[in-house]
Structure formats: C-alpha cells, structure tokens
Amino acid sequence: MQVDGADTVLIDGKATYAGAVLALQARGKEIRTVESLRNGDQLDPVVTCFVKHDAMQCGFCTPGFVMATRAFLDKHPGATLEQIREGLGGNICRCGTYDGITKCALELASRG
C-alpha cells in the first residue's frame, strides 16, 4: 500500500488507495480515476481550481490529491478550513503544495 495517497481513486464514491484493494474486491464497483474528471473539453472544477492555485509541482501526488479533494467535497460541500485539513490529511506532498491544495478546496467549499 502506498502511504502518500498518490494512488487515490474513487470506488463507489469513496476515496481509496488503489494499491490497498485487490482486483477481486473492486469487481462490480464503480471505479473513477483522475481521468474520469474530464468530459470532452469540460474539466471538473477541482482540476481547474488546482491549476488556478498552483496546487502541484512535481505532479507525483497531484492525481491522488485531486481525487481525494473531489471525494471530500462531494461529501462535505461547505467544509471549513479545519475540516479540509483533516479530510485531506491522508495524502502527502513532497513538494509542499498544501497551501495551494487547501486554497483550492476552500474556494470550492465556499461555493457550496
């Protein structure tokens, strides 16, 4: 299992480390990867907000953080800063882009 969250996907809407799930456990479930956050030219607001707030550097953790943020905001659309910090605390960024990630999540949460 990766402990940094870079392999985060959504399984039936729940943020899950893909490396901790056997293929048989995922059978019949809806699995969404970061690629699912695009519909033609339309990008999920989390993706565009990550770009706006420069919430990525090396890019290694970015897909996991994007998916974790999408899952968190789906369940907590009006989250506070403290809730966001706690809710996204399972992912680790070696470059330290937490400020941009937090600003992104807080902006989207304020939209409700």
Side-chain angles (χ1 to χ4, degrees):
M1 174 171 80
Q2 292 187 358
V3 294
D4 58 17
D7 67 337
T8 301
V9 297
L10 303 184
I11 298 180
D12 286 341
K14 181 181 179 199
T16 307
Y17 294 158
V21 177
L22 298 173
L24 288 174
Q25 292 173 299
R27 190 174 180 181
K29 299 187 184 222
E30 179 189 26
I31 300 170
R32 294 183 64 200
T33 65
V34 71
E35 291 82 8
S36 73
L37 299 182
R38 178 181 179 161
N39 185 4
D41 290 339
Q42 294 291 97
L43 295 174
D44 186 285
V46 171
V47 176
T48 56
C49 203
F50 260 63
V51 173
K52 176 183 175 182
H53 289 285
D54 197 24
M56 65 290 231
Q57 285 186 21
C58 78
F60 182 78
C61 70
T62 305
F65 262 116
V66 168
M67 296 307 289
T69 302
R70 170 46 50 220
F72 178 80
L73 292 173
D74 284 347
K75 293 194 184 329
H76 310 281
T80 65
L81 178 59
E82 187 58 36
Q83 290 169 324
I84 290 167
R85 286 182 176 152
E86 186 171 326
L88 297 178
N91 288 45
I92 297 171
C93 173
R94 293 177 178 102
C95 300
T97 62
Y98 298 113
D99 185 57
I101 293 165
T102 304
K103 285 179 181 174
C104 168
L106 193 57
E107 177 182 324
L108 294 172
S110 71
R111 296 179 191 174

